[in-house]
Amino acid sequence: DIQMTQSPSFLSASVGERVTLSCRASQNINKYLDWYQQKLGEAPKLLIYNTNNLHTGIPSRFSGSGSGTDYTLTISSLQPEDVATYFCLQRNSWPYTFGAGTKLELK
Amino acid sequence: EVQLVESGGGLVKPGSSLKLSCVASGFTFSSYGMHWIRQAPKKGLEWIALIYYDSSNKYYADSVKGRFTISRDNSKNTLYLEMNSLRSEDTAMYYCAKSGGGYRNWGQGVMVTVSS
Protein backbone atom coordinates (compact mmCIF):
# COMPACT_ATOMS: atom_id res chain seq x y z
CA ASP A 1 0.00 0.00 0.00
CA ILE A 2 1.13 3.58 -0.63
CA GLN A 3 1.85 5.44 2.61
CA MET A 4 0.95 9.12 2.78
CA THR A 5 2.84 11.28 5.26
CA GLN A 6 1.53 14.74 6.08
CA SER A 7 3.50 17.48 7.75
CA PRO A 8 3.24 19.20 10.03
CA SER A 9 0.67 17.37 12.15
CA PHE A 10 -0.31 20.63 13.79
CA LEU A 11 0.04 24.20 12.61
CA SER A 12 -0.81 27.47 14.28
CA ALA A 13 -0.93 30.55 12.06
CA SER A 14 -2.28 34.11 12.05
CA VAL A 15 -5.08 35.55 9.96
CA GLY A 16 -3.67 36.78 6.67
CA GLU A 17 -0.63 34.53 6.87
CA ARG A 18 0.46 32.31 3.98
CA VAL A 19 0.23 28.67 5.04
CA THR A 20 1.81 25.62 3.41
CA LEU A 21 0.86 22.03 4.16
CA SER A 22 2.81 19.08 2.82
CA CYS A 23 2.01 15.54 1.81
CA ARG A 24 4.59 12.95 0.81
CA ALA A 25 3.81 9.60 -0.81
CA SER A 26 5.91 6.48 -0.37
CA GLN A 27 6.05 6.13 -4.16
CA ASN A 28 5.19 8.11 -7.27
CA ILE A 29 1.44 8.82 -7.40
CA ASN A 30 1.40 10.57 -10.77
CA LYS A 31 -0.39 13.67 -9.47
CA TYR A 32 -3.45 11.68 -8.37
CA LEU A 33 -3.54 13.65 -5.15
CA ASP A 34 -6.54 15.34 -3.57
CA TRP A 35 -6.87 17.67 -0.59
CA TYR A 36 -9.84 17.62 1.78
CA GLN A 37 -10.88 19.99 4.55
CA GLN A 38 -12.74 18.68 7.56
CA LYS A 39 -14.25 20.99 10.13
CA LEU A 40 -15.26 19.74 13.56
CA GLY A 41 -18.34 17.54 13.41
CA GLU A 42 -18.62 17.69 9.63
CA ALA A 43 -17.90 15.39 6.72
CA PRO A 44 -14.73 16.10 4.73
CA LYS A 45 -15.02 18.49 1.82
CA LEU A 46 -13.02 18.29 -1.40
CA LEU A 47 -10.79 21.32 -1.96
CA ILE A 48 -8.40 20.28 -4.73
CA TYR A 49 -8.27 17.25 -6.99
CA ASN A 50 -5.47 15.86 -9.16
CA THR A 51 -2.85 18.03 -7.45
CA ASN A 52 -3.86 21.48 -8.64
CA ASN A 53 -7.50 21.58 -9.74
CA LEU A 54 -9.69 23.74 -7.54
CA HIS A 55 -13.05 22.15 -6.82
CA THR A 56 -16.15 24.17 -7.65
CA GLY A 57 -16.94 26.83 -5.10
CA ILE A 58 -13.61 26.66 -3.28
CA PRO A 59 -12.00 30.08 -2.70
CA SER A 60 -9.02 30.93 -4.87
CA ARG A 61 -6.80 31.43 -1.82
CA PHE A 62 -6.45 27.63 -1.85
CA SER A 63 -4.00 26.14 -4.34
CA GLY A 64 -2.14 22.89 -4.83
CA SER A 65 1.08 21.85 -6.45
CA GLY A 66 3.50 18.97 -6.66
CA SER A 67 4.56 15.94 -8.60
CA GLY A 68 6.05 12.52 -8.09
CA THR A 69 5.98 11.91 -4.35
CA ASP A 70 5.79 15.46 -2.95
CA TYR A 71 2.67 17.64 -2.86
CA THR A 72 1.69 20.92 -1.26
CA LEU A 73 -1.52 22.71 -0.31
CA THR A 74 -1.13 26.46 0.06
CA ILE A 75 -3.54 28.92 1.62
CA SER A 76 -2.41 32.32 0.40
CA SER A 77 -4.06 34.36 3.14
CA LEU A 78 -5.44 32.42 6.09
CA GLN A 79 -9.01 33.23 7.09
CA PRO A 80 -10.76 32.35 10.37
CA GLU A 81 -13.08 29.94 8.55
CA ASP A 82 -10.06 27.91 7.40
CA VAL A 83 -9.60 26.44 10.87
CA ALA A 84 -9.94 22.72 10.19
CA THR A 85 -8.04 19.50 9.67
CA TYR A 86 -6.68 18.94 6.17
CA PHE A 87 -6.18 15.49 4.66
CA CYS A 88 -4.47 14.42 1.48
CA LEU A 89 -5.60 11.37 -0.49
CA GLN A 90 -3.79 9.42 -3.18
CA ARG A 91 -5.94 7.89 -5.93
CA ASN A 92 -3.11 6.49 -8.02
CA SER A 93 -3.52 2.91 -6.92
CA TRP A 94 -5.63 0.63 -4.74
CA PRO A 95 -6.17 0.86 -1.94
CA TYR A 96 -6.64 4.61 -1.94
CA THR A 97 -4.87 5.99 1.13
CA PHE A 98 -5.23 9.15 3.16
CA GLY A 99 -2.63 11.05 5.09
CA ALA A 100 -3.07 11.37 8.85
CA GLY A 101 -4.00 15.03 8.57
CA THR A 102 -2.74 18.48 9.50
CA LYS A 103 -4.73 20.32 12.14
CA LEU A 104 -4.71 24.06 11.41
CA GLU A 105 -5.51 26.54 14.15
CA LEU A 106 -5.41 30.30 14.54
CA LYS A 107 -2.60 31.88 16.48
CA GLU B 1 -28.22 19.02 -5.73
CA VAL B 2 -26.38 15.82 -4.92
CA GLN B 3 -27.43 14.28 -1.62
CA LEU B 4 -26.17 11.17 0.11
CA VAL B 5 -27.93 10.06 3.29
CA GLU B 6 -26.56 7.20 5.36
CA SER B 7 -28.50 5.20 7.91
CA GLY B 8 -28.36 1.95 9.83
CA GLY B 9 -25.66 2.65 12.37
CA GLY B 10 -25.82 1.97 16.08
CA LEU B 11 -24.29 0.25 19.08
CA VAL B 12 -23.59 -3.45 18.63
CA LYS B 13 -21.59 -6.12 20.43
CA PRO B 14 -18.38 -7.63 19.08
CA GLY B 15 -19.12 -10.42 16.63
CA SER B 16 -22.42 -8.88 15.60
CA SER B 17 -23.62 -7.81 12.17
CA LEU B 18 -24.99 -4.54 10.86
CA LYS B 19 -26.10 -3.25 7.47
CA LEU B 20 -25.62 0.36 6.47
CA SER B 21 -27.56 2.10 3.72
CA CYS B 22 -26.83 5.22 1.69
CA VAL B 23 -29.67 6.73 -0.31
CA ALA B 24 -28.55 8.91 -3.19
CA SER B 25 -30.36 11.69 -5.01
CA GLY B 26 -29.62 14.57 -7.35
CA PHE B 27 -27.57 12.56 -9.86
CA THR B 28 -27.79 9.44 -12.01
CA PHE B 29 -26.82 6.93 -9.34
CA SER B 30 -26.51 4.05 -11.80
CA SER B 31 -23.71 5.85 -13.67
CA TYR B 32 -21.26 6.25 -10.79
CA GLY B 33 -19.03 4.09 -8.70
CA MET B 34 -19.62 4.47 -4.98
CA HIS B 35 -17.33 4.18 -1.98
CA TRP B 36 -17.49 3.66 1.75
CA ILE B 37 -14.95 5.55 3.86
CA ARG B 38 -14.71 5.46 7.64
CA GLN B 39 -13.17 7.54 10.38
CA ALA B 40 -12.48 6.17 13.84
CA PRO B 41 -13.04 8.66 16.70
CA LYS B 42 -10.40 11.40 16.64
CA LYS B 43 -8.54 9.50 13.92
CA GLY B 44 -7.88 9.83 10.22
CA LEU B 45 -9.84 8.63 7.23
CA GLU B 46 -9.75 5.10 5.87
CA TRP B 47 -11.13 4.05 2.48
CA ILE B 48 -12.79 0.66 2.92
CA ALA B 49 -14.79 -0.32 -0.16
CA LEU B 50 -15.67 0.55 -3.75
CA ILE B 51 -18.37 -0.78 -6.04
CA TYR B 52 -18.51 -0.03 -9.75
CA TYR B 53 -21.59 1.62 -11.25
CA ASP B 54 -22.90 -1.72 -12.50
CA SER B 55 -21.68 -3.86 -9.55
CA SER B 56 -19.24 -5.59 -11.92
CA ASN B 57 -16.29 -4.97 -9.64
CA LYS B 58 -15.87 -4.55 -5.92
CA TYR B 59 -12.74 -3.70 -3.96
CA TYR B 60 -12.06 -3.81 -0.24
CA ALA B 61 -9.44 -2.66 2.19
CA ASP B 62 -7.55 -5.54 3.80
CA SER B 63 -8.92 -4.49 7.18
CA VAL B 64 -12.48 -5.43 6.15
CA LYS B 65 -11.97 -8.00 3.40
CA GLY B 66 -13.96 -11.16 4.05
CA ARG B 67 -16.13 -9.49 6.71
CA PHE B 68 -17.76 -6.57 4.88
CA THR B 69 -19.75 -6.67 1.63
CA ILE B 70 -20.55 -3.66 -0.50
CA SER B 71 -23.60 -3.80 -2.75
CA ARG B 72 -26.04 -1.50 -4.49
CA ASP B 73 -29.57 -1.42 -5.83
CA ASN B 74 -29.68 0.98 -8.74
CA SER B 75 -33.47 0.75 -8.91
CA LYS B 76 -33.61 2.20 -5.39
CA ASN B 77 -30.64 4.58 -5.72
CA THR B 78 -29.19 2.91 -2.66
CA LEU B 79 -25.73 1.75 -1.64
CA TYR B 80 -25.22 -0.80 1.11
CA LEU B 81 -22.48 -2.02 3.40
CA GLU B 82 -23.09 -5.31 5.14
CA MET B 83 -20.75 -5.70 8.09
CA ASN B 84 -20.23 -9.05 9.77
CA SER B 85 -17.99 -10.23 12.61
CA LEU B 86 -17.70 -6.69 13.88
CA ARG B 87 -14.73 -5.81 16.08
CA SER B 88 -14.05 -2.93 18.43
CA GLU B 89 -11.67 -1.48 15.86
CA ASP B 90 -14.59 -1.12 13.43
CA THR B 91 -15.98 1.62 15.67
CA ALA B 92 -16.11 4.66 13.42
CA MET B 93 -18.18 7.16 11.51
CA TYR B 94 -19.01 5.62 8.15
CA TYR B 95 -19.40 7.82 5.10
CA CYS B 96 -20.59 7.00 1.61
CA ALA B 97 -19.05 8.99 -1.20
CA LYS B 98 -19.53 9.31 -4.94
CA SER B 99 -16.74 8.58 -7.43
CA GLY B 100 -15.47 11.07 -9.95
CA GLY B 101 -12.28 13.15 -9.85
CA GLY B 102 -11.98 12.96 -6.11
CA TYR B 103 -14.73 12.53 -3.54
CA ARG B 104 -16.86 15.53 -4.47
CA ASN B 105 -19.89 14.44 -2.51
CA TRP B 106 -20.10 12.83 0.92
CA GLY B 107 -22.95 11.82 3.13
CA GLN B 108 -23.25 13.21 6.64
CA GLY B 109 -22.00 9.94 8.04
CA VAL B 110 -23.45 7.27 10.32
CA MET B 111 -21.87 6.16 13.57
CA VAL B 112 -21.13 2.51 14.28
CA THR B 113 -20.01 1.61 17.79
CA VAL B 114 -18.83 -1.91 18.55
CA SER B 115 -18.63 -2.51 22.28
CA SER B 116 -19.59 -5.12 24.83
mmCIF file of all heavy atoms in Angstrom, chain B residues 8-20 67-68 81-87 112-114:
data_model
loop_
_atom_site.group_PDB
_atom_site.id
_atom_site.type_symbol
_atom_site.label_atom_id
_atom_site.label_comp_id
_atom_site.label_asym_id
_atom_site.label_seq_id
_atom_site.Cartn_x
_atom_site.Cartn_y
_atom_site.Cartn_z
ATOM 1 N N GLY B 8 -28.581 3.334 9.437
ATOM 2 C CA GLY B 8 -28.364 1.950 9.832
ATOM 3 C C GLY B 8 -27.315 1.734 10.904
ATOM 4 O O GLY B 8 -27.064 0.595 11.312
ATOM 5 N N GLY B 9 -26.694 2.808 11.356
ATOM 6 C CA GLY B 9 -25.661 2.654 12.370
ATOM 7 C C GLY B 9 -26.250 2.375 13.743
ATOM 8 O O GLY B 9 -27.474 2.320 13.927
ATOM 9 N N GLY B 10 -25.361 2.212 14.715
ATOM 10 C CA GLY B 10 -25.817 1.972 16.078
ATOM 11 C C GLY B 10 -24.758 1.321 16.929
ATOM 12 O O GLY B 10 -23.602 1.196 16.519
ATOM 13 N N LEU B 11 -25.176 0.914 18.126
ATOM 14 C CA LEU B 11 -24.292 0.251 19.083
ATOM 15 C C LEU B 11 -24.530 -1.253 19.003
ATOM 16 O O LEU B 11 -25.675 -1.709 19.174
ATOM 17 C CB LEU B 11 -24.592 0.761 20.489
ATOM 18 C CG LEU B 11 -23.909 0.039 21.657
ATOM 19 C CD1 LEU B 11 -22.398 0.167 21.565
ATOM 20 C CD2 LEU B 11 -24.417 0.594 22.997
ATOM 21 N N VAL B 12 -23.478 -1.996 18.731
ATOM 22 C CA VAL B 12 -23.588 -3.451 18.626
ATOM 23 C C VAL B 12 -22.445 -4.109 19.394
ATOM 24 O O VAL B 12 -21.422 -3.467 19.663
ATOM 25 C CB VAL B 12 -23.563 -3.935 17.166
ATOM 26 C CG1 VAL B 12 -24.776 -3.424 16.404
ATOM 27 C CG2 VAL B 12 -22.274 -3.521 16.472
ATOM 28 N N LYS B 13 -22.626 -5.386 19.706
ATOM 29 C CA LYS B 13 -21.593 -6.124 20.429
ATOM 30 C C LYS B 13 -20.584 -6.724 19.460
ATOM 31 O O LYS B 13 -20.908 -7.003 18.294
ATOM 32 C CB LYS B 13 -22.244 -7.234 21.268
ATOM 33 C CG LYS B 13 -23.160 -6.729 22.370
ATOM 34 C CD LYS B 13 -23.617 -7.865 23.259
ATOM 35 C CE LYS B 13 -24.642 -7.428 24.292
ATOM 36 N NZ LYS B 13 -24.305 -6.186 24.985
ATOM 37 N N PRO B 14 -19.376 -6.965 19.942
ATOM 38 C CA PRO B 14 -18.380 -7.633 19.077
ATOM 39 C C PRO B 14 -18.924 -8.951 18.561
ATOM 40 O O PRO B 14 -19.606 -9.686 19.272
ATOM 41 C CB PRO B 14 -17.202 -7.845 20.034
ATOM 42 C CG PRO B 14 -17.344 -6.761 21.052
ATOM 43 C CD PRO B 14 -18.813 -6.565 21.244
ATOM 44 N N GLY B 15 -18.638 -9.214 17.271
ATOM 45 C CA GLY B 15 -19.115 -10.424 16.626
ATOM 46 C C GLY B 15 -20.449 -10.262 15.941
ATOM 47 O O GLY B 15 -20.878 -11.153 15.196
ATOM 48 N N SER B 16 -21.100 -9.121 16.175
ATOM 49 C CA SER B 16 -22.421 -8.879 15.596
ATOM 50 C C SER B 16 -22.324 -8.444 14.138
ATOM 51 O O SER B 16 -21.240 -8.229 13.597
ATOM 52 C CB SER B 16 -23.145 -7.783 16.385
ATOM 53 O OG SER B 16 -23.366 -8.158 17.699
ATOM 54 N N SER B 17 -23.515 -8.282 13.542
ATOM 55 C CA SER B 17 -23.618 -7.812 12.167
ATOM 56 C C SER B 17 -24.459 -6.545 12.112
ATOM 57 O O SER B 17 -25.270 -6.288 13.022
ATOM 58 C CB SER B 17 -24.268 -8.886 11.285
ATOM 59 O OG SER B 17 -23.477 -10.053 11.253
ATOM 60 N N LEU B 18 -24.252 -5.774 11.061
ATOM 61 C CA LEU B 18 -24.992 -4.537 10.863
ATOM 62 C C LEU B 18 -24.986 -4.236 9.376
ATOM 63 O O LEU B 18 -24.010 -4.563 8.674
ATOM 64 C CB LEU B 18 -24.314 -3.404 11.640
ATOM 65 C CG LEU B 18 -25.105 -2.185 12.087
ATOM 66 C CD1 LEU B 18 -26.290 -2.587 12.964
ATOM 67 C CD2 LEU B 18 -24.199 -1.217 12.836
ATOM 68 N N LYS B 19 -26.050 -3.626 8.883
ATOM 69 C CA LYS B 19 -26.097 -3.255 7.467
ATOM 70 C C LYS B 19 -26.387 -1.772 7.344
ATOM 71 O O LYS B 19 -27.419 -1.293 7.824
ATOM 72 C CB LYS B 19 -27.168 -4.064 6.729
ATOM 73 C CG LYS B 19 -27.138 -3.865 5.209
ATOM 74 C CD LYS B 19 -28.054 -4.850 4.521
ATOM 75 C CE LYS B 19 -27.953 -4.748 2.994
ATOM 76 N NZ LYS B 19 -28.786 -5.762 2.302
ATOM 77 N N LEU B 20 -25.458 -1.063 6.710
ATOM 78 C CA LEU B 20 -25.618 0.362 6.475
ATOM 79 C C LEU B 20 -26.233 0.595 5.097
ATOM 80 O O LEU B 20 -26.011 -0.181 4.166
ATOM 81 C CB LEU B 20 -24.266 1.075 6.542
ATOM 82 C CG LEU B 20 -23.430 0.866 7.804
ATOM 83 C CD1 LEU B 20 -22.148 1.695 7.718
ATOM 84 C CD2 LEU B 20 -24.218 1.202 9.046
ATOM 85 N N ARG B 67 -15.123 -9.767 5.671
ATOM 86 C CA ARG B 67 -16.127 -9.491 6.713
ATOM 87 C C ARG B 67 -17.200 -8.536 6.235
ATOM 88 O O ARG B 67 -18.351 -8.622 6.666
ATOM 89 C CB ARG B 67 -15.447 -8.897 7.949
ATOM 90 C CG ARG B 67 -14.406 -9.782 8.592
ATOM 91 C CD ARG B 67 -13.905 -9.199 9.914
ATOM 92 N NE ARG B 67 -13.299 -7.885 9.743
ATOM 93 C CZ ARG B 67 -13.712 -6.783 10.374
ATOM 94 N NH1 ARG B 67 -14.713 -6.830 11.210
ATOM 95 N NH2 ARG B 67 -13.082 -5.632 10.185
ATOM 96 N N PHE B 68 -16.818 -7.586 5.374
ATOM 97 C CA PHE B 68 -17.762 -6.572 4.884
ATOM 98 C C PHE B 68 -18.092 -6.858 3.420
ATOM 99 O O PHE B 68 -17.235 -7.329 2.659
ATOM 100 C CB PHE B 68 -17.156 -5.175 4.972
ATOM 101 C CG PHE B 68 -17.000 -4.628 6.371
ATOM 102 C CD1 PHE B 68 -17.134 -5.428 7.498
ATOM 103 C CD2 PHE B 68 -16.702 -3.290 6.563
ATOM 104 C CE1 PHE B 68 -16.993 -4.920 8.780
ATOM 105 C CE2 PHE B 68 -16.550 -2.758 7.834
ATOM 106 C CZ PHE B 68 -16.686 -3.576 8.938
ATOM 107 N N LEU B 81 -23.682 -1.416 2.850
ATOM 108 C CA LEU B 81 -22.477 -2.023 3.402
ATOM 109 C C LEU B 81 -22.921 -3.001 4.471
ATOM 110 O O LEU B 81 -23.409 -2.587 5.523
ATOM 111 C CB LEU B 81 -21.524 -0.986 3.982
ATOM 112 C CG LEU B 81 -20.191 -1.553 4.477
ATOM 113 C CD1 LEU B 81 -19.344 -2.043 3.289
ATOM 114 C CD2 LEU B 81 -19.399 -0.526 5.278
ATOM 115 N N GLU B 82 -22.772 -4.277 4.163
ATOM 116 C CA GLU B 82 -23.094 -5.310 5.140
ATOM 117 C C GLU B 82 -21.836 -5.645 5.917
ATOM 118 O O GLU B 82 -20.810 -5.992 5.333
ATOM 119 C CB GLU B 82 -23.639 -6.555 4.444
ATOM 120 C CG GLU B 82 -24.160 -7.608 5.401
ATOM 121 C CD GLU B 82 -25.161 -8.553 4.747
ATOM 122 O OE1 GLU B 82 -25.312 -8.505 3.516
ATOM 123 O OE2 GLU B 82 -25.774 -9.341 5.481
ATOM 124 N N MET B 83 -21.911 -5.520 7.234
ATOM 125 C CA MET B 83 -20.750 -5.695 8.086
ATOM 126 C C MET B 83 -20.991 -6.877 9.020
ATOM 127 O O MET B 83 -21.946 -6.864 9.799
ATOM 128 C CB MET B 83 -20.501 -4.416 8.890
ATOM 129 C CG MET B 83 -20.362 -3.181 8.012
ATOM 130 S SD MET B 83 -19.956 -1.694 8.941
ATOM 131 C CE MET B 83 -21.460 -1.478 9.861
ATOM 132 N N ASN B 84 -20.136 -7.871 8.919
ATOM 133 C CA ASN B 84 -20.225 -9.053 9.770
ATOM 134 C C ASN B 84 -18.997 -9.163 10.660
ATOM 135 O O ASN B 84 -17.972 -8.515 10.410
ATOM 136 C CB ASN B 84 -20.341 -10.313 8.907
ATOM 137 C CG ASN B 84 -21.602 -10.324 8.065
ATOM 138 O OD1 ASN B 84 -22.676 -9.960 8.555
ATOM 139 N ND2 ASN B 84 -21.492 -10.725 6.824
ATOM 140 N N SER B 85 -19.115 -9.991 11.686
ATOM 141 C CA SER B 85 -17.989 -10.234 12.609
ATOM 142 C C SER B 85 -17.361 -8.924 13.061
ATOM 143 O O SER B 85 -16.137 -8.756 13.012
ATOM 144 C CB SER B 85 -16.942 -11.126 11.930
ATOM 145 O OG SER B 85 -17.509 -12.329 11.484
ATOM 146 N N LEU B 86 -18.191 -8.023 13.509
ATOM 147 C CA LEU B 86 -17.703 -6.692 13.880
ATOM 148 C C LEU B 86 -16.766 -6.756 15.076
ATOM 149 O O LEU B 86 -16.931 -7.563 16.000
ATOM 150 C CB LEU B 86 -18.876 -5.765 14.152
ATOM 151 C CG LEU B 86 -19.555 -5.240 12.876
ATOM 152 C CD1 LEU B 86 -20.944 -4.698 13.185
ATOM 153 C CD2 LEU B 86 -18.688 -4.176 12.213
ATOM 154 N N ARG B 87 -15.759 -5.890 15.034
ATOM 155 C CA ARG B 87 -14.728 -5.806 16.079
ATOM 156 C C ARG B 87 -14.740 -4.399 16.664
ATOM 157 O O ARG B 87 -15.243 -3.459 16.036
ATOM 158 C CB ARG B 87 -13.365 -6.092 15.460
ATOM 159 C CG ARG B 87 -13.273 -7.384 14.679
ATOM 160 C CD ARG B 87 -12.008 -7.397 13.830
ATOM 161 N NE ARG B 87 -11.868 -8.646 13.077
ATOM 162 C CZ ARG B 87 -11.008 -8.821 12.085
ATOM 163 N NH1 ARG B 87 -10.182 -7.831 11.730
ATOM 164 N NH2 ARG B 87 -10.957 -9.978 11.444
ATOM 165 N N VAL B 112 -21.072 3.920 13.883
ATOM 166 C CA VAL B 112 -21.133 2.511 14.282
ATOM 167 C C VAL B 112 -20.226 2.348 15.486
ATOM 168 O O VAL B 112 -19.041 2.690 15.430
ATOM 169 C CB VAL B 112 -20.679 1.584 13.135
ATOM 170 C CG1 VAL B 112 -20.584 0.141 13.625
ATOM 171 C CG2 VAL B 112 -21.631 1.697 11.956
ATOM 172 N N THR B 113 -20.784 1.848 16.572
ATOM 173 C CA THR B 113 -20.014 1.608 17.793
ATOM 174 C C THR B 113 -20.085 0.132 18.124
ATOM 175 O O THR B 113 -21.173 -0.435 18.262
ATOM 176 C CB THR B 113 -20.562 2.437 18.961
ATOM 177 O OG1 THR B 113 -20.543 3.825 18.609
ATOM 178 C CG2 THR B 113 -19.718 2.233 20.207
ATOM 179 N N VAL B 114 -18.908 -0.490 18.231
ATOM 180 C CA VAL B 114 -18.833 -1.913 18.554
ATOM 181 C C VAL B 114 -18.234 -2.035 19.955
ATOM 182 O O VAL B 114 -17.060 -1.745 20.182
ATOM 183 C CB VAL B 114 -17.973 -2.682 17.540
ATOM 184 C CG1 VAL B 114 -17.998 -4.179 17.859
ATOM 185 C CG2 VAL B 114 -18.453 -2.412 16.126
#
